[in-house]
Amino acid sequence: MPPAPVAQSVPTAGYPTPEDSFSYSPVANTADNSKRNSFIALGAGIGFLALIGIFATINAKPDPVSIDASLTLVDQNCYNLSWGYFDIPGAQVTITVDGVVAGYGTFPRFGSSSLLGCKFTAYFSEIPADGETYSYSMASGRRGVVTRSLSEMQANDWSFDLTLG
């Protein structure tokens, strides 16, 4: 009697044969995919952080500053001001930056005595430090406008020290 025929498996397209059943896995190799995905995520994260840094640098503004504006009435006694200065005690004062009002202040009702005369000071906070021109004026409009450049304001330690009389 002839030997019995050996059963052979016929491979079908896309399906493993019994001989290679240990080398076949129906799940794709996830180690390579997760490594690739990690690099993609890392690259996207670095790109995102770079964009945030660029926008933060472009949009960064210097910290706001405080400005003091003082007006000294030369040869005037604080307790006996001449009538020509009636509008100064308690006067409203404005600071403008590049033509836009950036702050309002008020001179005190009574000035402080100094070597030159009677001094009135108004204080302003949160004034933008990135303007090109800074202007001081009294709200009444009677005393004119004093304008300084950014470099002049920095050189004068962010103050207007004015005299009148």
Side-chain angles (χ1 to χ4, degrees), residues 111-132:
S112 59
S113 296
S114 70
L115 292 174
L116 292 176
C118 186
K119 184 175 184 176
F120 295 88
T121 304
Y123 300 95
F124 304 87
S125 60
E126 300 295 317
I127 304 297
D130 59 350
E132 292 183 25

Side-chain angles (χ1 to χ4, degrees), residues 15-28:
Y15 293 104
T17 62
E19 289 83 26
D20 56 9
S21 63
F22 291 106
S23 66
Y24 176 77
S25 172
V27 178

Side-chain angles (χ1 to χ4, degrees), residues 49-64:
L49 290 176
L51 285 175
I52 289 175
I54 289 170
F55 285 123
T57 303
I58 290 172
N59 294 328
K61 290 188 174 191
D63 290 336

Side-chain angles (χ1 to χ4, degrees), residues 153-165:
M153 290 301 291
Q154 290 170 334
N156 290 324
D157 199 26
W158 296 100
S159 66
F160 284 95
D161 291 319
L162 310 170
T163 58
L164 184 61

Side-chain angles (χ1 to χ4, degrees), residues 27-35:
V27 178
N29 189 349
T30 57
D32 290 338
N33 286 340
S34 65
K35 194 182 278 188

Side-chain angles (χ1 to χ4, degrees), residues 78-142:
C78 287
Y79 301 102
N80 189 18
L81 291 176
S82 299
W83 276 101
Y85 300 120
F86 72 91
D87 61 331
I88 294 177
Q92 290 187 344
V93 183
T94 60
I95 296 291
T96 59
V97 179
D98 296 332
V100 177
V101 175
Y104 295 95
T106 305
F107 283 146
R109 291 273 176 214
F110 298 99
S112 59
S113 296
S114 70
L115 292 174
L116 292 176
C118 186
K119 184 175 184 176
F120 295 88
T121 304
Y123 300 95
F124 304 87
S125 60
E126 300 295 317
I127 304 297
D130 59 350
E132 292 183 25
T133 59
Y134 293 80
S135 300
Y136 153 93
S137 65
M138 290 181 54
S140 68
R142 284 190 67 213

